[in-house]
């Protein structure tokens, strides 16, 4: 028996959706719990599979975790292990980011190499090089990174080859608990990096410059507890705004800082949508025709790669020919062929996709390959005529909380079903 999401498309979305806490913000913040013996309380934690995996990972290191919906209290009074196994890193690539905090607190770490995945090769060379520069002795054997720093890490001047979000998180966490001044040049500027730095500062650490390419970390001998709120999920917000555009509807996504959407807001305006921003919301309303655009993904504040797949779904219904260049992950076009099964006309060549807008999509059975590809197919499904079945919906559970309920509140018809060999029956979600 396998689950799938059934979408009955064709109705314009309208209304207000409250986005949850950002998955990609919460993950590094939760991992920073390793840096202190004291408790950190996290509010606005999204209810997602990736969060459950992170909690499981932290528990292996000795974390005590209390959970009530929306809030996690985490403390690691004693580090009882320093190993992140292949099964966990394979299930959640970001698990690799515990390497730095484990080294900084425990002087040793054994973490499986994440390897490539469906969206690209995703090497971790910058993580390894930065921690080596900080004095870690790192060996890679049989797909596992063995790192030791028995006398502690030392501060360093790190120059990143490109603004890797994960490598920036990794160094901030390691350096926060390494006495002396560490600098990162070429750092990622994403809002999730700023959120991590804010957390470290509220733990008694000292990080300056987060949100710019030059970050300075004044490392401390110890860090304390904190009480923080996870930032709103800009990618979830963008997904609902694109769904509104694709269905010629109007949606307000609240619970985010509009500045966190960066260049994506300009793309919405270029598509001919009416866009309005408030302190904690963005709303879009269709003006009828959706215009084709030419865009490239880029590190923040450019157009986020995580919105590329949802954007492609919407552009497949625009008037004219759009062009998307994917500059972050070389293999992140798996959704194009599935959208074509729904009637989209998309040609992919290396890092470029050419999208010839069509008048309508039609429902079809499709398969999700990653979180954002799944979101693209949901957008395709709500905009399409007829019924779409999205298989492998576990990708959705990793990144979009209460997806069916949130879309349904906006007037879409979505439900989760279970397929057995012969027929379909409701799974009751
Ligand atoms: C984070 O991944 C996000 N993941 C991704 O979100 C997001 O797509 C990505 O940043 C870019 O914004 C989380 O926050 C959990 P990178 P990360 O290191 O940190 C190359 C989603 O859908 N690179 O910024 O792994 C890398 O191959 C996801 O929620 C190296 O070459 O991304 C890529 O081409 C998936 N060597 C580029 O840099 C390294 O050592 C950017 O990757 C590290 C990265």
């Amino acid at each position: 028996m396998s689950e799938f999401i059934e979408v009955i498309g064709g109705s314009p979305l309208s209304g207000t959706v409250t986005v949850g806490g950002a998955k990609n913000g919460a993950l590094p913040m939760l991992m920073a719990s390793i840096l202190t013996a004291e408790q950190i309380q996290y509010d606005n934690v999204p209810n997602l599979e990736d969060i459950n995996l992170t909690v499981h990972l932290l528990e292996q290191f000795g974390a005590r975790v209390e959970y009530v919906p929306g809030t996690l209290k985490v403390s690691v009074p004693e580090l009882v292990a320093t190993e992140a196994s292949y099964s966990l890193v394979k299930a959640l690539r970001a698990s690799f980011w515990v390497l730095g905090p484990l080294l900084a607190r425990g002087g040793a770490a054994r973490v499986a190499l994440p390897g490539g995945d469906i969206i690209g090769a995703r090497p971790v060379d910058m993580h390894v090089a930065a921690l080596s520069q900080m004095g870690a002795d790192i060996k890679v054997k049989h797909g596992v990174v063995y790192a030791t720093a028995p006398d502690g890490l030392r501060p360093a001047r790190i120059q990143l080859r490109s603004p890797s979000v994960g490598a920036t998180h990794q160094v901030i966490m390691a350096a926060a608990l390494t006495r002396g001044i560490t600098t990162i040049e070429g750092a990622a500027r994403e809002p999730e990096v700023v959120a991590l730095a804010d957390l470290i500062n509220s733990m008694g650490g000292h990080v300056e410059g987060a949100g710019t390419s030059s970050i300075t970390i004044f490392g401390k001998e110890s860090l304390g507890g904190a009480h923080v709120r996870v930032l709103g999920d800009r990618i979830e917000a963008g997904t609902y705004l694109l769904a509104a555009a694709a269905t010629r509807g109007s949606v307000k996504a609240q619970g985010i800082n509009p500045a966190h959407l960066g260049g994506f807001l300009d793309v919405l305006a270029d598509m001919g949508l009416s866009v309005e921003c408030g302190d904690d919301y963005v709303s879009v309303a269709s003006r009828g025709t959706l215009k084709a655009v030419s865009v490239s993904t880029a590190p923040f504040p450019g157009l986020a790669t995580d919105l590329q797949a949802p954007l492609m779904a919407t552009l497949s219904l625009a008037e004219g020919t759009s062009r998307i260049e994917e500059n972050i992950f070389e293999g992140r076009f798996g959704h194009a062929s599935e959208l074509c099964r729904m009637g989209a006309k998309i040609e992919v060549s290396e890092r470029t996709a050419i999208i010839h807008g069509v008048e309508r999509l039609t429902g079809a059975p499709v398969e999700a390959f990653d979180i954002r590809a799944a979101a693209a197919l949901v957008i395709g499904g709500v905009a399409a005529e007829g019924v779409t079945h999205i298989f492998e919906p576990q990708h959705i559970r990793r990144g979009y909380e209460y997806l069916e309920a949130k879309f349904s509140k906006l007037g879409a018809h979505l439900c989760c079903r279970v397929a057995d060999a012969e027929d379909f029956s409701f799974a009751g979600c």
Side-chain angles (χ1 to χ4, degrees):
M1 286 209 303
S2 64
E3 249 187 18
F4 64 94
I5 292 176
E6 180 173 277
V7 188
I8 303 170
S11 322
L13 300 190
S14 80
T16 299
V17 62
T18 302
V19 302
K23 166 183 84 77
N24 290 348
L27 298 183
M29 290 167 78
L30 286 168
M31 289 173 198
S33 313
I34 296 170
L35 298 170
T36 176
E38 292 180 28
Q39 187 182 75
I40 305 183
Q41 178 171 334
Y42 301 91
D43 294 336
N44 201 33
V45 178
N47 180 5
L48 297 171
E49 197 46 40
D50 278 10
I51 300 295
N52 298 338
L53 284 167
T54 306
V55 166
H56 184 50
L57 176 76
L58 293 173
E59 283 173 340
Q60 294 195 343
F61 303 139
R64 295 185 190 153
V65 181
E66 289 171 41
Y67 171 75
V68 288
T71 294
L72 277 171
K73 294 180 185 173
V74 184
S75 61
V76 187
E78 199 189 336
L79 208 52
V80 299
T82 53
E83 178 179 357
S85 64
Y86 176 63
S87 57
L88 270 171
V89 182
K90 186 172 179 295
L92 176 68
R93 290 182 52 85
S95 306
F96 189 75
W97 300 348
V98 297
L99 189 67
L102 288 176
L103 268 174
R105 173 139 176 220
R110 198 155 24 127
V111 182
L113 275 175
D117 67 10
I118 200 86
I119 64 175
R122 305 190 77 178
V124 287
D125 56 310
M126 285 190 267
H127 299 240
V128 171
L131 292 171
S132 300
Q133 249 188 286
M134 294 180 72
D137 179 21
I138 300 187
K139 294 193 173 50
V140 182
K141 279 189 282 184
H142 306 297
V144 176
V145 175
Y146 294 80
T148 54
D151 301 324
L153 294 170
R154 56 171 187 260
R157 295 171 68 166
I158 310 291
Q159 172 71 58
L160 295 180
R161 187 182 71 241
S162 62
S164 158
V165 175
T168 304
H169 287 324
Q170 182 90 271
V171 176
I172 289 178
M173 287 192 276
L177 203 55
T178 299
R179 280 180 64 111
I181 301 172
T182 294
T183 55
I184 313 174
E185 294 299 332
R189 297 161 61 192
E190 270 67 2
E192 293 77 16
V193 170
V194 178
L196 177 65
D198 288 347
L199 166 62
I200 302 277
N201 288 339
S202 57
M203 292 165 73
H206 186 175
V207 182
E208 285 182 8
T212 75
S213 322
S214 301
I215 298 179
T216 306
I217 306 113
F218 301 85
K220 303 283 178 179
E221 194 153 355
S222 67
L223 294 169
H227 183 170
V228 285
R229 183 177 168 82
V230 175
L231 70 167
D233 196 323
R234 62 195 172 107
I235 306 301
E236 186 191 9
T239 301
Y240 285 102
L241 297 174
L242 286 167
T247 60
R248 308 293 195 266
S250 63
V251 164
K252 175 178 177 180
Q254 66 184 16
I256 47 137
N257 178 345
H260 291 175
L261 285 165
F264 175 68
L265 294 176
D266 297 330
V267 176
L268 293 176
D270 291 347
M271 288 163 73
L273 296 155
S274 154
V275 182
E276 190 196 314
C277 297
D279 285 348
D280 73 338
Y281 73 86
V282 176
S283 59
V284 298
S286 165
R287 289 197 177 112
T289 309
L290 203 54
K291 292 188 202 157
V293 292
S294 282
V295 294
S296 306
T297 62
F300 189 81
L303 171 65
T305 173
D306 293 348
L307 284 169
Q308 180 260 109
L311 177 63
M312 187 184 290
T314 301
L315 289 178
S316 68
L317 288 159
E319 199 173 87
T321 299
S322 299
R323 186 175 187 275
I324 300 182
E325 199 182 329
E326 171 54 61
N327 290 316
I328 310 296
F329 293 112
E330 70 280 10
R332 206 171 205 182
F333 278 144
H335 42 281
S337 54
E338 297 305 290
L339 289 169
C340 288
R341 294 165 64 80
M342 302 174 74
K345 287 198 176 142
I346 304 167
E347 297 155 29
V348 171
S349 168
E350 298 184 349
R351 284 178 176 264
T352 304
I354 305 291
I355 304 119
H356 304 282
V358 294
E359 236 167 69
R360 66 183 64 81
L361 296 176
T362 48
V366 287
E367 184 176 338
F369 298 114
D370 73 52
I371 303 174
R372 309 306 168 190
L377 298 176
V378 172
I379 292 176
V382 294
E385 281 178 3
V387 181
T388 294
H389 287 166
I390 304 170
F391 291 89
E392 307 301 337
Q394 71 276 10
H395 294 295
I396 285 283
R397 311 290 174 226
R398 297 188 59 183
Y400 290 88
E401 64 171 9
Y402 312 126
L403 176 107
E404 292 91 331
K406 288 184 181 182
F407 265 102
S408 299
K409 192 170 164 253
L410 298 174
H413 303 283
L414 267 81
C415 68
C416 181
R417 286 177 173 257
V418 175
D420 51 34
E422 300 295 327
D423 65 354
F424 299 128
S425 59
F426 267 104
C429 53

